[in-house]
């Protein structure tokens, strides 16, 4: 993509004087949307590019989605505001990274131990009521929540080996806001940087590690080239994130294009399910760039127990958060009662 952020914002400022920047040209012909993902180019090549290419191919001369990667148009932390204003028409991100001003934001990304497996996320949204809560929260602030899906589990990739909780103390780690807030009680120092700067920050020593993904992304985006160890204990079983659209832009679309966009989002969710599930196992077994380390189960149980306390703290912050925590509690209790293969303990 050759469009720079400076050029884009300059163009937006000029266009805003006459009309909203991205208003679909329903009367003039082809509709054009700008969409930004929180993922960098190397990752988006897998988790988003195929779905948007499919949409554009099927939509033909009726609509085209221009895709931009992490921080290309606006910083990831400003994605929500840009989407709400209509500067960007659609976004793929977790709620946490894009700083959504909703009561469900804390549950996006990696809410500690909310899930064990990637399939937990779509079940929670489609069968346990999270879709309805997210729809209500985002509709209230002028954004359309289209659908949620899972990505990979959250693990530490570090320069030095992590074999105990003590080894985590003082480690400067790039991670999600809520995950960082939770893990800080174990001495982790959360660091926020632009996505594209992470690899260099590890090389220069500004970061000691990354807790932003599973091993598949570590290899895909180059982080496995600058870290030496992969901790097999995970903070959560799957990232939770969504597709969003500016509400006005969404409502202007004909119903069949809305349906097509939903279908392509579902294709993206499906791709990630098998790409990550297979990739996580294969690279642990066959990968040659990082050595696996593990904190013993008995010691790691302290982290899992702390997560339940963290849930209670979040639930006390608002009725909506309490409702989501209750759903998570109910879901995980059901999974434990269901037994194997849903839960093994």
């Amino acid at each position: 993509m050759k469009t720079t952020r400076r050029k884009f914002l300059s163009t937006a400022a000029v266009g805003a004087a006459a009309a909203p920047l991205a208003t679909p040209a329903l009367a003039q012909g082809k509709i054009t949307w700008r969409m930004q993902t929180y993922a960098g180019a190397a990752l988006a090549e897998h988790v988003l590019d195929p779905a948007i290419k499919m949409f554009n191919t099927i939509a033909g001369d009726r609509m085209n989605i221009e895709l931009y990667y992490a921080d290309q148009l606006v910083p990831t932390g400003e994605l929500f505001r840009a989407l709400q204003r209509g500067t960007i028409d659609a976004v793929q991100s977790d709620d946490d990274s894009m700083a959504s001003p909703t009561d469900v934001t804390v549950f996006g990304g990696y809410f500690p131990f909310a899930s064990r497996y990637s399939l937990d996320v779509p079940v929670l949204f489609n069968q346990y009521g999270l879709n309805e809560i997210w729809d209500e929260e985002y509709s209230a602030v002028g954004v359309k929540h289209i659908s949620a899906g899972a990505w990979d589990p959250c693990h530490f990739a570090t320069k030095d080996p992590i074999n105990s909780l003590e080894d985590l103390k003082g480690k400067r780690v790039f991670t999600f806001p809520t995950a960082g807030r939770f893990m800080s009680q174990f001495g982790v120092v959360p660091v926020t940087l632009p996505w594209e700067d992470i690899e260099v920050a590890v090389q220069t020593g500004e970061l000691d590690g990354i807790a932003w993904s599973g091993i598949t992304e570590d290899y895909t985006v180059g982080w496995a080239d600058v870290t030496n160890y992969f901790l097999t204990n995970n903070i959560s079983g799957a990232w939770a994130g969504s597709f969003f659209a500016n509400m006005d832009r969404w409502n202007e679309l004909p119903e069949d294009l809305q349906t097509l966009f939903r279908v392509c989002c579902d294709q993206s969710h499906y791709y990630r399910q098998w790409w990550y599930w297979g990739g996580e196992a294969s690279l642990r077994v066959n990968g040659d760039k990082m050595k696996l380390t593990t904190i013993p189960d008995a010691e790691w149980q302290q982290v899992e127990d702390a997560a339940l306390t963290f849930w209670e703290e979040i639930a006390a912050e608002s009725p909506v958060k309490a409702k989501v925590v209750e759903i998570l509690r109910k879901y995980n209790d059901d999974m434990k009662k269901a037994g194997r293969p849903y839960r093994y303990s």
Side-chain angles (χ1 to χ4, degrees):
M1 305 297 296
K2 294 185 178 180
T3 300
T4 65
R5 182 182 170 210
R6 181 188 299 272
K7 179 180 177 182
F8 171 80
L9 294 177
S10 174
T11 304
V14 173
L21 176 65
T23 300
L26 290 172
Q28 292 95 14
K30 194 169 189 175
I31 302 167
T32 299
W33 271 17
R34 290 181 174 90
M35 180 178 187
Q36 183 170 313
T37 175
Y38 89 126
L43 179 58
E45 181 180 348
H46 288 277
V47 301
L48 186 57
D49 285 5
I52 300 306
K53 181 179 180 180
M54 177 187 297
F55 179 91
N56 288 338
T57 298
I58 298 172
D61 60 3
R62 297 182 63 201
M63 183 170 175
N64 182 74
I65 297 176
E66 298 172 353
L67 184 57
Y68 298 86
Y69 305 128
D71 306 312
Q72 278 195 316
L73 299 184
V74 297
T76 296
E78 297 177 15
L79 277 176
F80 177 85
R81 289 190 292 274
L83 181 66
Q84 189 182 45
R85 291 193 303 263
T87 304
I88 298 174
D89 304 293
V91 163
Q92 179 199 44
S93 178
D94 65 278
D95 319 70
D96 207 20
S97 294
M98 72 178 196
S100 301
T102 73
D103 271 354
V104 298
T105 295
V106 69
F107 302 104
Y110 292 114
F111 191 68
F113 300 101
S115 62
R116 295 285 175 174
Y117 309 112
S118 58
L119 278 174
D120 291 337
V121 174
V123 174
L124 279 162
F125 274 85
N126 293 299
Q127 296 184 356
Y128 276 72
L130 294 192
N131 265 336
E132 290 75 15
I133 297 174
W134 260 246
D135 180 71
E136 182 176 350
E137 285 292 302
Y138 279 97
S139 294
V141 290
V143 168
K144 177 64 179 178
H145 177 257
I146 297 168
S147 65
W151 292 36
D152 48 344
C154 185
H155 294 262
F156 284 87
T158 55
K159 296 169 71 174
D160 299 323
I162 304 296
N163 294 298
S164 68
L165 293 179
E166 184 68 24
D167 292 337
L168 289 173
K169 291 183 178 179
K171 292 293 187 293
R172 294 159 297 178
V173 175
F174 171 66
T175 189
F176 291 81
T178 299
R181 172 181 168 185
F182 171 67
M183 289 304 298
S184 64
Q185 66 186 291
F186 298 99
V188 173
V189 181
V191 178
T192 300
L193 291 170
W195 191 91
E196 294 288 355
D197 294 345
I198 303 310
E199 185 173 345
V200 173
V202 175
Q203 290 176 304
T204 61
E206 186 177 356
L207 290 174
D208 299 305
I210 303 158
W212 199 85
S213 69
I215 199 168
T216 306
E217 286 189 22
D218 291 334
Y219 274 74
T220 301
V221 306
W223 294 339
D225 298 323
V226 296
T227 55
N228 303 313
Y229 298 92
F230 179 85
L231 181 64
T232 61
N233 310 77
N234 59 344
I235 299 172
S236 195
W239 176 95
S242 301
F243 287 95
F244 305 89
N246 174 274
M247 186 68 78
D248 290 337
R249 300 292 84 78
W250 178 258
N251 289 336
E252 289 168 355
L253 286 185
E255 185 177 356
D256 62 333
L257 288 180
Q258 290 181 351
T259 301
L260 175 59
F261 190 77
R262 289 184 183 277
V263 169
C264 292
C265 290
D266 286 344
Q267 190 278 336
S268 174
H269 296 321
Y270 171 68
Y271 182 105
R272 294 196 306 274
Q273 286 283 346
W274 60 260
W275 187 65
Y276 280 117
W277 186 255
E280 296 300 302
S282 177
L283 287 170
R284 286 191 186 199
V285 175
N286 303 307
D288 59 1
K289 294 183 178 180
M290 292 191 289
K291 182 178 180 180
L292 305 184
T293 65
T294 301
I295 296 175
D297 288 345
E299 186 176 0
W300 189 251
Q301 189 62 47
Q302 297 176 50
V303 183
E304 298 198 23
D305 292 343
L308 298 181
T309 301
F310 185 74
W311 287 19
E312 294 298 330
E313 294 172 0
I314 296 298
E317 293 178 354
S318 78
V320 171
K321 292 179 181 178
K323 186 175 181 179
V324 174
V325 167
E326 184 57 35
I327 289 174
L328 296 177
R329 198 181 288 117
K330 163 67 174 168
Y331 176 77
N332 279 278
D333 185 54
D334 285 352
M335 295 298 104
K336 289 178 182 177
K337 290 177 180 176
R340 298 171 185 263
Y342 299 95
R343 295 291 187 269
Y344 285 82
S345 62

